[in-house]
Every structure is written in C-alpha cells, then in structure tokens.
Amino acid sequence: MSNIGSYLERQASFDWSVAREALGWKEGELLNIGHICSDRVCASGRADKEALLWEGFGGKKAVHTFDDLRARSNAFARLLVDEGLTPGDRVCLFMDKIPSLYFAFLGILKMGGIAQPLFSAFGDESLKVRLESAGTRAILTTGKHVKKVRKIRGDLPALEKVIVVEGDPAKLKEGEEFFDVEAADRVEEFPYFDGGPEAPSVLHYTSGTTGQPKGAQHVHSSVWGQALTTSWVLDLTDDDVYWCTADPGWVTGTSYGIIGPWALGATQCVLDAGFTSARWYRFIQDHRVTVWYSAPTAIRSLMRDGADLVRKHDLSSLRHLASVGEPLNAEAVVWSEEVFGMPFHDTFWQTETGAMMIANWPGMKIKPGSMGRPFPGITAAILDLKTNDPVTTPGQVGLIAFRPGWPSMFRAYRNQPDVYRSKFVGAPDGASPEELRTNPDIWYVSGDRASVDADGYYWFVGRDDDVINTGGHLVGPFEIESALIEHEAVAEAAAVGKPDQMNMEVVKAFVTLHAGYTPSDELELDIMNFIRKKLSPLAMPQEIEYSDKLPKTRSGKLLRRYLRALEWGEEAGDLSTLEDD
Ligand code: PRX
C-alpha cells in the first residue's frame, strides 16, 4: 500500500490540516523548518539515525546523523547571531553541495534568517544581480568560490559579512571571516526563532522573460506541503535511503533535497562529484538507494549510455523513481521500466509553487508522456488562451493554472508586488498579497501551456513565454542579452532556446556587432566565454549567429518568438504582421 492510499478518497476528503497532522504538528507549536528537520527528528528517538550520506570528488566521504545535523546547524545559527544577523536578514549560501551547505541552510532558518541559496556555478554578474536584489547581508561561501564574491563586494553596500566555510584560512582577504563547522564546537542548545507559519524562510531566484531574475519568497509553513508530497508522491518512509540529484541552488534541491525528506526523518544521499552514468549507478549501488528523484536531462544521458551499463551494477535496492524540471519523454518512461523494472514518475511544479502540483504517484496508472494529475488539495485547470476561462474540452491547449491557497505557495516576488500580482487572473483591482494567496475564486497562472485529457491527466505543451529551459534549469533571455551587450563587440543581442537532444533546449544568441568588428569563429568563442564567466555555463550560448539587424516590433520590442520559431522549424508568422505590437 502506498502512502497516498486511495487517491479518490484522499481527494474527496482533503483538507490541508491533513498535512499538518501527517507531520505531527499541532496548532500553537513551534514552527521552524530548521528545528523540524533536525531537533524534532532527534526528539522522536532518531538522533543516531543517518541523515546525510555524502560523497565528494576524489573519493571523499562523510556520514552525518540527525544529531550532527542538529548540533551543526545550531553552530551556524549561533555564528550568525554572534555576527549580528537578525531575523529577516538574507543570508546567501554560495557553495558546492558540501555538508556545510546543508548544516548552514538549517542554521539560517533556525535563527530566523532568510536562506538564499545560489548555484555555485554562477559567475560574478549572476551573483551580483541576485545579491543586490535581495539586499543580502551575509554570504557563506568557500575558498573555491570566494573570488567571485570579492569581484563584486565593492558594489554591494548591504553585504556586510563574507564568511568562508571551507578552504585555507591563510588565503582570506581583509574583511573575510573563516568558520569550519566541523572543527568548531558542537552547539547543543539554540533558542530557535519562531515567527509563526508566515515567517519568511527561503528566497529562490527564478528567471522570467523580462527584467532580471525574480526572488520568490517562501515561508516556514511551506514544510507542510513539502513533507506531505514527499510522503505521498515520492513515497518516502522511515526505512528509505533517498537520493535527490538536484542542487539546492534550485528549488528542487531545497524543497525535496533538504526540507521534505528531513522533515520526515528520511536518510538522504548527496553526491557532489559531477555526472557520469557509471558514477551515478555506483552511488546508487553503494548506498543502496531506494527512492531516486532526478531530471529528464540526466535520464536521457543515462539512456544514451545504454542498458548494459545498468546491468553491470546492482541497482536492486531501487523501488521508486521520480522526475521533475522539464518534459519527461514517453520513451524515457518506457526505457526506465525496461532497465530498472519501474517507471520514472513525472512531477510538475515550479519555484513559485514550492512543492509538487501535478504528479504521478505510486499505484497510479501512468500514461507515459503525461505529467499526471493534480495532487489532492490542488485545484488545477487549463485556462483558455484568449478568455482565461477554464477549458471544458479535453485536449484543448491552454495555460496551466491553480487556485491559490496551498501551503508552499510563494508569498511574494521580492520588491516586485506588481509582477507578483500579474501572476494571478480574476483578482479584484488592488488585491493585497494576502488576498491573492487566499482567494479561492482566482487563478495563479503558471506560465506553461498544457492540455488535460478526459481522465484528468495533464500533458505539457511548452512555456507560454520566452524563458529558456536548458537541462531543467530556467535561464532568462533578458539576463543573457544584458550581459551580451556588455561585450565590447556586441551592439544588440537576442537570446532564444534552440532544440537540443540531451538538454531539451540550449541557448542560442543572435547578435549585431559594433562598427569595426567583423564576425569570426574566434569572436564567437570569446563571446561564449564572456557569458560563461559572467553568468554561468548554463547561460552560455552554444551558438552565436551574426546578423545585420534583429527583428523588432514597430515600437522596438525584440521579437524573440520569431527567432525561436525559426530555430524550432515552426510557423514563424509573417514578419510584417509581427512588427505590430
Ligand atoms: O516550464 C515548467 C518546467 O520548469 C518550470 C519551473 O522551473 P523552476 O521554477 O526552475 O522549477 C523547476 C523544478 C520544480 C515550469 O514552469 N517544468 C517543471 N516540471 C516540468 C516542467 N516541464 C514539463 N514537465 C515537467 N514535469
């Protein structure tokens, strides 16, 4: 019997109090994710249970119990308080997937700080934009990544503390501090911050079509939705050894790579040693992983490397597989059944939703290629592209939308109330953020297109905007274009996604050059490297096309969708009509 039991029964009688009860949380009780994921597990008699089974490059290994998690996160919380940080301060985590990342994440939450995890492969510009937007007061990083922080620190007056948590203390520069949690004393007691269910917890930056990335603000009560979906969809139980392959720089790596599983007291594995299929299989084999949550790009890479490699490993411990982040092709589901003896279960959600919204769970009939059905308690619909009314015809393509009110929903885009408001349809003018997140008569619109079939299964079609999804990571065209025109040769730029077998999409840039520059392969390489360093390897264009002129509307708005359609071999429309705004 799966944790979810009968879907129809669950759905019929669902109330979010089920999520609180499932976690054993009672009204009036302390609500702090840091506490729930460590102290509370210890208090339930599982202090000595393995919480984190970690492997890094070069065969480095570590095992940490829930008691370690408790004491080490307390140590980070204590450090931050001693450094003068107070509840509500943004504290950035900028490091690889090392154990300190996990301790510090919980520690920040314990002292009431807002954890702002950023992908460690970000270059200085990507980092700066996000730290500036968040008004980040402290950053925790490592010797490996601190150089990027040094480059931009002078531009960030709010950034008071730079704390290096791994590396050589002798290499620190003035104004930087060193803190090695494993060498420091354990901290047995820490008075957790309790700001109630609506206290801010995690701030994740996500990319949109226009403007710079937006900071989606989550709250401590998100744990209710995250823990329940971890239990019902990922099917985690106390005996499982769970592996989420995502980096906590992205929402999957926090909602399901930290919070949900540890709130339930599950043992998690972390591999911080890059990707090869053989390495991944060995990791599953060595740790006897039972539940595995990954992403289509990785699954496609595993497929490319073939079934023989699978057979060379003992993967008999696996009992449940799930996927998120991009469309999971039907072939991948079928392949997985053949080689692992079980399908990958697709799940759909977003940084903004904080937890799974549409999913395939154990025991549910899977239709390969479909994202599944709405989680109990989630009211989903496909809205007509013109009228915004829910469609009633199965198969009609429209926008995926949800009724607000689920616990892990984002509460704001930091400092951008109008952009937040624009994500909802049907709201009265001037509705407050509180109304927007609780009004059961309006819709939160995801920005994705899909259809729903007669059985209530959702089928992904594509994004409704210009955001590029490369290997499950969203990159904003505007951010890339802004960086491109900072290159001395580039006058104008457009960035779009082009099809890619492995990553679904990769970035392609169209550029016009300043007078005096001529197109060449060397210049292309130089521009690519410029973006890789400034933004990230994900944002780096895989191809640059030189052009004399970029397509624009009469008012000068860049026509990315025209360029995109050309890349995808789709009907691009008549440019003369596209030029009308
Ligand atoms: O376009 C959808 C795609 O990823 C977007 C959300 O990205 P992000 O906020 O970074 O969160 C990623 C992990 C939750 C969505 O708007 N996406 C996510 N899951 C799926 C998907 N596209 C197709 N199928 C999915 N299962």
Side-chain angles (χ1 to χ4, degrees):
M1 180 70 164
S2 69
N3 290 345
I4 195 170
S6 155
Y7 175 57
L8 291 179
E9 278 172 29
R10 290 291 193 194
Q11 208 184 22
S13 61
F14 193 86
D15 178 300
W16 281 107
S17 61
V18 170
R20 300 193 276 276
E21 282 154 21
L23 204 57
W25 187 86
K26 292 179 193 65
E27 201 66 45
E29 199 182 324
L30 179 76
L31 184 73
N32 181 301
I33 291 174
H35 163 82
I36 288 175
C37 290
S38 58
D39 307 64
R40 210 165 185 277
V41 180
C42 293
S44 69
R46 291 175 286 178
D48 295 330
K49 185 180 174 184
E50 290 166 342
L52 176 63
L53 308 175
W54 178 86
E55 281 191 36
F57 282 103
K60 274 201 253 166
K61 287 186 185 177
V63 176
H64 294 282
T65 61
F66 277 98
D67 199 47
D68 291 336
L69 213 55
R70 185 186 64 77
R72 303 289 184 211
S73 57
N74 282 351
F76 270 108
R78 165 68 53 222
L79 167 81
L80 294 171
V81 170
D82 290 349
E83 289 289 334
L85 288 143
T86 54
D89 282 342
R90 278 74 57 212
V91 182
C92 175
L93 292 161
F94 188 56
M95 62 189 86
D96 300 342
K97 291 185 277 182
I98 57 174
S100 282
L101 171 61
Y102 298 83
F103 302 143
F105 180 87
L106 299 182
I108 294 167
L109 298 180
K110 281 185 173 178
M111 53 73 62
I114 299 179
Q116 183 194 8
L118 291 177
F119 187 40
S120 61
F122 276 155
D124 52 287
E125 181 68 23
S126 290
L127 184 61
K128 188 177 100 178
V129 163
R130 289 160 176 81
L131 296 179
E132 209 163 38
S133 159
T136 309
R137 267 193 86 192
I139 186 166
L140 306 182
T141 187
T142 56
K144 185 173 162 194
H145 296 291
V146 71
K147 288 184 207 79
K148 294 184 266 189
V149 182
R150 286 178 191 149
K151 259 179 117 173
I152 54 174
R153 192 170 181 185
D155 301 328
L156 299 166
L159 186 64
E160 291 167 39
K161 307 278 173 190
V162 175
I163 303 170
V164 176
V165 303
E166 188 187 78
D168 181 355
K171 292 197 175 142
L172 259 54
K173 300 267 192 252
E174 207 192 315
E176 294 167 0
E177 290 159 59
F178 189 75
F179 180 74
D180 177 351
V181 73
E182 297 195 36
D185 289 340
R186 289 163 61 95
V187 174
E188 298 301 334
E189 298 293 332
F190 182 85
Y192 330 103
F193 171 78
D194 179 17
E198 287 301 308
S201 57
V202 184
L203 179 65
H204 268 297
Y205 275 78
T206 182
S207 297
T209 303
T210 52
Q212 293 290 2
K214 299 163 289 185
Q217 181 64 66
H218 290 280
V219 294
H220 279 268
S221 50
S222 69
V223 66
W224 293 331
Q226 288 151 348
L228 193 71
T229 44
T230 302
S231 167
W232 287 8
V233 181
L234 296 177
D235 204 37
L236 276 196
T237 62
D238 210 33
D239 303 329
D240 280 305
V241 178
Y242 165 73
W243 183 27
C244 169
T245 59
D247 187 300
W250 310 98
V251 72
T252 307
T254 56
S255 291
Y256 297 103
I258 300 182
I259 304 173
W262 277 342
L264 299 179
T267 299
Q268 298 205 64
C269 301
V270 171
L271 176 62
D272 184 30
F275 175 86
T276 69
S277 300
R279 184 74 187 83
W280 276 30
Y281 292 145
R282 194 149 45 83
F283 188 71
I284 294 172
Q285 174 179 286
D286 291 351
H287 293 286
R288 307 289 301 153
V289 171
T290 57
V291 179
W292 182 21
Y293 195 25
S294 197
T297 290
I299 299 164
R300 284 192 289 271
S301 305
L302 299 173
M303 284 170 79
R304 179 196 56 198
D305 292 339
D308 282 351
L309 191 62
V310 179
R311 287 189 205 105
K312 285 193 184 126
H313 296 84
D314 175 7
L315 306 182
S316 57
S317 56
L318 287 173
R319 68 167 189 84
H320 187 63
L321 318 180
S323 162
V324 67
E326 10 154 12
L328 180 65
N329 349 21
E331 306 81 69
V333 178
V334 174
W335 179 80
S336 147
E337 270 191 312
E338 271 166 32
V339 302
F340 300 122
M342 66 202 88
F344 269 96
H345 293 68
D346 195 10
T347 63
F348 169 89
W349 56 291
Q350 306 177 298
T351 303
E352 287 85 345
T353 70
M356 296 166 185
M357 302 300 280
I358 296 175
N360 291 279
W361 43 82
M364 171 173 155
K365 176 179 177 252
I366 291 185
K367 299 191 187 187
S370 161
M371 305 191 293
R373 288 190 285 177
F375 186 75
I378 300 294
T379 307
I382 297 294
L383 303 189
D384 186 281
L385 292 171
K386 290 204 179 79
T387 63
N388 276 335
D389 291 326
V391 306
T392 46
T393 322
Q396 186 180 328
V397 173
L399 296 171
I400 307 176
F402 303 105
R403 293 289 195 205
W406 67 95
S408 358
M409 179 179 178
F410 73 138
R411 300 302 200 260
Y413 283 131
R414 193 176 166 80
N415 300 331
Q416 292 181 289
D418 294 343
V419 184
Y420 184 69
R421 200 163 292 127
S422 73
K423 296 291 288 188
F424 298 85
V425 301
D429 283 349
S432 66
E434 166 73 12
E435 274 173 83
L436 291 170
R437 74 171 182 82
T438 50
N439 187 337
D441 300 322
I442 66 174
W443 295 103
Y444 161 76
V445 183
S446 71
D448 288 300
R449 291 183 183 201
S451 67
V452 57
D453 69 16
D455 299 326
Y457 282 67
Y458 281 70
W459 298 79
F460 187 79
V461 172
R463 288 198 57 102
D464 188 50
D465 58 19
D466 296 334
V467 173
I468 302 161
N469 186 335
T470 179
H473 301 110
L474 301 189
V475 280
F478 179 80
E479 200 178 1
I480 304 172
E481 290 155 3
S482 308
L484 279 166
I485 56 173
E486 283 185 34
H487 188 280
E488 56 180 14
V490 179
E492 284 187 303
V496 299
K498 75 165 199 169
D500 182 82
Q501 245 190 339
M502 211 44 83
N503 293 290
M504 187 173 88
E505 283 186 312
V506 289
V507 177
K508 174 169 177 181
F510 294 81
V511 299
T512 67
L513 298 180
H514 283 299
Y517 288 92
T518 39
S520 71
D521 288 350
E522 291 77 54
L523 181 60
E524 184 178 356
L525 215 59
D526 192 64
I527 298 173
M528 286 176 173
N529 263 321
F530 180 78
I531 299 299
R532 185 177 58 79
K533 284 208 195 114
K534 225 175 169 35
L535 300 183
S536 71
L538 298 170
M540 183 184 86
Q542 303 289 318
E543 186 188 338
I544 293 180
E545 189 170 319
Y546 299 105
S547 119
D548 295 334
K549 187 174 168 242
L550 297 179
K552 298 212 181 108
T553 60
R554 285 197 190 112
S555 63
K557 215 169 108 198
L558 192 59
L559 273 169
R560 288 195 203 99
R561 70 198 147 106
Y562 175 78
L563 295 169
R564 188 179 191 281
L566 293 182
E567 290 307 312
W568 286 79
E570 288 164 3
E571 194 53 55
D574 176 0
L575 197 54
S576 62
T577 60
L578 288 176
E579 281 195 352
D580 293 321
D581 263 350

